[in-house]
Amino acid sequence: MTVIDSPPPAGARHLDKEALRRKYAEERAKRLRADGNDQYLQIRGRFSHYLDDPYTPMQPRLPKTDHVTFAFIGGGFAGLVTGARLVEAGVKDVRIIEKGGDFGGTWYWNRYPGAQCDTASMVYMPLLEETGHMPTEKYAHAPEILAQCQRIGKQYGLYDNALFHTQVEELRWDEGRRVWVVKTNRGDAFTAQFIGMGTGPLHVPKLPGIPGIESFRGHSFHTSRWDYAYTGGDPLGAPLDKLADKRVAIIGTGATSVQIVPHLAKTCGQLYVVQRTPSSVDVRANAPIDPEWFASIATPGWQLRWLENFTENQAGGIAEVDLVQDGWTDLSRRIRTKILQLPPDQMTPPNMLAAYEDSDFEKMEEIRARVNEIVSETETADKLKAWYRQLCKRPCFHDAYLQAFNNPNVQLLDTDGKGVERITETGIVVAGVEYPVDCIIYASGFEVGTEHQRRAGFDAVGRGGEKLSEHWADGMRTKHGIHVHGFPNAFLVQPTQGANLISNVPHNLTESGRTIAMMVAHALAGGHQEIEVTKAAEDAWVELLLSGPGLLIGSNECTPGYYNNEGQDRGPAARTYVGYPAGPVAYFRYLDKWRNAGTFDGLEFR
Ligand code: NDP
């Protein structure tokens, strides 16, 4: 019998690696489909009500036709941290443009029951030290994170000039006036000397393209627009009491669904959890933060120390202590330990990759064994096991998700990689069986692999009328993931081509925000009207990125998902979606040195 049929207990592992590789490949093959990203429906036309904002009524206002020093597109963490640093640097008129009704970005939209951060609050929540906020839990829940966004907005005066419920439709560099012209869906047509873009990777919800989806006559909504009026309860955790007599199907079992299911399980009359691919669900171990302990560690500079320590532990460094101690740092420690066990003369790249694979097999075996320990029904437990390398999909951490399947009102509808067959007027069809339901909740995720301009809602037009999509036709081109040649005074705030630290995205954003504020302050102090990266510097940066190891797990090994463009080849462009070759720790050190040198090598100030 192989390990696949019956994993040996922890500590007595003999892994049949070939059998595991075969199993992973089989499960992948079941899920590969020719339509890739096109399997999903873009939410528009008759589906557009799925995008309505259930949280804040839209306020009428007059269009803006003025000029600001800095306009930032996106009011999530990226806009807030950049805005805060700009205000600290003396820029008084920062205008944030946000499609939601308040600040918060993903934390504005995602108010579903159980929403909480998956990376420890101490490093995930931005500007804790500056705002003096102590997170209440190791993993804060969504209302607290949203309140932190609002706190930043208030403390730095970012509300005064913000435009909410507003989407940028046109962004164009005016060469004569040396300003950006910003036009929006609210009739605004104003100018900005500098522009920031922090539109986030996961903000456009998508629906699964299941045949018959439009015919359903019951209630339905997407997780990013939670309908508390229908379900009862609230984002603070009040029970979803209106579902007591309802049959509910939640479609999707990604990171969102894993957080929601325990709450639905508590109250729904009947809950169907519809699964195409199981998530890997590791221990969460949330706990309240003790104010006394917090006061003892929160000495000046504490958050940067914690950020650097997390990054060092998580992203390849060798730190003496692990302050955060969670699933992310555990994952990295295991890989590191395996690699360090190699004899010095065998420390070759193939051996290191093999050690990484071994550590991954062991971790996934533990995660599968955890399913057996928690889920009482063997058949259900087997279906909840993930058969792929851990980082092929977003790792999940939860202490109530698997337990929910022991509730008598919860049924797992596993589709064996195929997805829901059909939606009818009254229910969903899985493997030929129709399950009547009152409500369908789409936990089907967000657009990732679609064109950047479709997700952003605009295609920036730079010098000489060149569009950003044209500049990036063969892949992304930047310096530091921030500057683009031909797009003067424009700054991107996102991880790719910078640290690319996925386990703690806000760390990337705060570092970019700080850097941008320093460059803008330098330009304003020197009376410069333009900052632009030279072509040579952009080329050199891209060349440096391409000299790196690329992706450690090839997407042709992974089960499809948004991490790997649904298993489809993205062509040569994919090679550019990488980070600094020496890793995040080295990148942050490099960037700090670069910006503090004050010469901003590779940029021209005019
Ligand atoms: P995902 O894209 O991760 O999940 C979508 C789910 O829908 C998958 O399980 C997918 O299956 C399933 N699905 C798609 N089509 C069908 C179909 N036809 N039939 C049945 N199932 C289908 O979206 P999420 O919203 O869960 O998460 C997106 C990302 O948001 C996360 O990866 C994470 O980065 C972030 N997030 C972060 C959180 C945090 O930090 N606290 C919390 C929640 C989300 P399949 O896997 O087979 O494609």
Side-chain angles (χ1 to χ4, degrees):
M1 189 185 284
T2 67
V3 74
I4 291 171
D5 301 310
S6 172
R13 301 200 188 295
H14 166 69
L15 298 180
D16 184 344
K17 294 182 209 165
E18 264 319 305
L20 281 168
R21 285 190 197 106
R22 257 197 323 274
K23 174 77 174 161
Y24 286 12
E26 276 163 29
E27 292 294 328
R28 172 176 190 267
K30 273 184 201 170
R31 289 169 173 81
L32 278 177
R33 35 193 294 171
D35 51 1
N37 280 310
D38 293 339
Q39 67 179 285
Y40 288 100
L41 291 176
Q42 185 177 9
I43 302 187
R44 57 181 178 172
R46 63 188 160 172
F47 296 112
S48 55
H49 62 278
Y50 283 103
L51 293 179
D52 291 347
D53 180 352
Y55 315 122
T56 318
M58 193 184 295
Q59 300 295 332
R61 66 169 177 83
L62 292 174
K64 295 281 183 192
T65 52
D66 54 355
H67 176 81
V68 292
T69 304
F70 202 111
F72 197 99
I73 304 170
F77 282 177
L80 288 166
V81 298
T82 308
R85 294 298 180 221
L86 286 163
V87 170
E88 281 174 352
V91 182
K92 297 276 179 291
D93 54 339
V94 177
R95 172 172 291 156
I96 295 182
I97 308 137
E98 163 58 45
K99 73 178 171 180
D102 198 343
F103 290 130
T106 203
W107 298 103
Y108 175 83
W109 294 111
N110 288 284
R111 302 186 186 199
Y112 57 78
Q116 67 185 134
C117 53
D118 270 350
T119 298
S121 319
M122 297 283 281
V123 291
Y124 181 80
M125 290 172 72
L127 307 192
L128 285 174
E129 193 170 345
E130 289 81 346
T131 54
H133 178 70
M134 178 198 88
T136 59
E137 302 175 274
K138 181 162 184 177
Y139 301 97
H141 280 76
E144 184 174 339
I145 306 174
L146 178 57
Q148 175 67 3
C149 294
Q150 293 163 336
R151 192 174 292 118
I152 296 170
K154 283 183 197 133
Q155 181 164 323
Y156 290 92
L158 297 170
Y159 276 98
D160 302 345
N161 222 344
L163 301 179
F164 295 118
H165 281 144
T166 303
Q167 295 199 44
V168 171
E169 291 184 333
E170 199 181 312
L171 182 61
R172 184 178 290 277
W173 175 249
D174 181 327
E175 298 212 43
R177 292 188 287 167
R178 307 169 89 183
V179 290
W180 284 96
V181 179
V182 185
K183 294 190 179 169
T184 77
N185 66 340
R186 302 287 296 269
D188 306 302
F190 61 91
T191 55
Q193 185 179 355
F194 301 100
I195 196 94
M197 291 177 260
T199 50
L202 295 159
H203 65 107
V204 180
K206 65 188 185 198
L207 290 173
I210 300 169
I213 186 169
E214 69 294 338
S215 64
F216 184 60
R217 298 276 166 258
H219 198 72
S220 62
F221 55 90
H222 187 274
T223 52
S224 64
R225 307 288 190 275
W226 193 270
D227 189 351
Y228 283 104
Y230 178 82
T231 63
D234 62 32
L236 293 166
L240 309 169
D241 52 1
K242 293 190 184 169
L243 296 179
D245 59 350
K246 299 283 191 295
R247 298 158 302 177
V248 176
I250 181 163
I251 296 183
T253 52
T256 300
S257 182
V258 164
Q259 296 189 335
I260 294 172
V261 162
H263 294 266
L264 290 173
K266 274 191 220 157
T267 45
C268 284
Q270 171 69 47
L271 174 65
Y272 297 111
V273 181
V274 189
Q275 172 180 275
R276 190 166 69 176
T277 308
S279 279
S280 71
V281 186
D282 204 352
V283 174
R284 150 56 37 99
N286 196 16
I289 288 184
D290 171 15
E292 260 182 54
W293 169 83
F294 183 77
S296 73
I297 66 102
T299 52
W302 77 264
Q303 198 177 24
L304 186 59
R305 285 197 297 278
W306 274 65
L307 280 164
E308 288 176 349
N309 181 265
F310 176 79
T311 304
E312 204 149 283
N313 276 285
Q314 210 287 314
I318 300 183
E320 280 176 18
V321 282
D322 177 0
L323 295 171
V324 165
Q325 297 200 35
D326 69 353
W328 293 107
T329 56
D330 175 62
L331 174 71
S332 305
R333 187 168 36 251
R334 285 158 172 272
I335 298 168
R336 210 160 47 228
T337 308
K338 272 261 177 253
I339 290 174
L340 290 177
Q341 280 166 0
L342 289 170
D345 61 331
Q346 288 181 36
M347 205 61 96
T348 60
N351 285 348
M352 287 160 76
L353 284 177
Y356 174 23
E357 190 191 33
D358 282 356
S359 143
D360 198 308
F361 282 146
E362 284 172 16
K363 182 76 217 176
M364 289 303 282
E365 280 292 286
E366 280 181 25
I367 287 174
R368 288 187 284 267
R370 182 169 185 255
V371 183
N372 278 354
E373 285 157 23
I374 294 172
V375 179
S376 42
E377 227 247 329
T378 311
E379 198 185 330
T380 306
D382 282 345
K383 289 178 176 161
L384 285 165
K385 289 177 190 162
W387 298 102
Y388 44 81
R389 291 187 63 171
Q390 193 180 19
L391 295 183
C392 283
K393 276 194 179 282
R394 168 64 147 66
C396 296
F397 309 93
H398 215 286
D399 294 337
Y401 174 73
L402 294 169
Q403 290 78 349
F405 292 93
N406 295 332
N407 287 17
N409 61 330
V410 179
Q411 187 176 343
L412 176 68
L413 296 185
D414 178 51
T415 64
D416 196 24
K418 296 185 196 65
V420 176
E421 202 172 292
R422 210 152 30 88
I423 291 180
T424 65
E425 285 192 8
T426 52
I428 57 170
V429 180
V430 170
V433 179
E434 180 167 359
Y435 297 84
V437 293
D438 301 299
C439 176
I440 300 178
I441 300 171
Y442 293 106
S444 44
F446 302 85
E447 289 191 20
V448 176
T450 51
E451 306 86 58
H452 179 263
Q453 62 274 22
R454 165 168 147 179
R455 280 175 283 132
F458 61 91
D459 195 0
V461 182
R463 196 188 294 290
E466 187 190 28
K467 292 181 179 161
L468 189 58
S469 58
E470 293 164 350
H471 192 75
W472 286 357
D474 298 324
M476 192 172 171
R477 304 189 66 75
T478 70
K479 181 178 175 71
H480 300 166
I482 296 177
H483 307 270
V484 184
H485 178 65
F487 294 76
N489 293 1
F491 310 101
L492 301 166
V493 182
Q494 52 78 49
T496 313
Q497 299 204 346
N500 211 23
L501 178 68
I502 301 307
S503 56
N504 191 19
V505 170
H507 193 178
N508 305 268
L509 310 180
T510 48
E511 286 300 310
S512 296
R514 188 186 293 278
T515 313
I516 291 165
M518 286 172 78
M519 294 182 292
V520 168
H522 181 79
L524 294 176
H528 303 292
Q529 278 195 289
E530 289 181 28
I531 306 174
E532 187 180 351
V533 62
T534 64
K535 183 175 180 312
E538 182 184 276
D539 288 348
W541 189 253
V542 174
E543 201 177 314
L544 174 75
L545 296 169
L546 296 181
S547 72
L551 299 170
L552 290 181
I553 309 177
S555 44
N556 55 358
E557 295 170 48
C558 275
T559 192
Y562 80 83
Y563 272 22
N564 52 48
N565 199 36
E566 301 297 333
Q568 291 199 328
D569 188 2
R570 234 185 315 211
R575 293 191 317 139
T576 63
Y577 301 131
V578 290
Y580 189 61
V585 175
Y587 176 75
F588 289 137
R589 283 193 192 130
Y590 153 80
L591 187 68
D592 195 45
K593 213 164 145 198
W594 181 86
R595 66 190 171 206
N596 281 315
T599 47
F600 304 107
D601 286 354
L603 304 189
E604 279 178 355
F605 287 75
R606 291 185 286 257

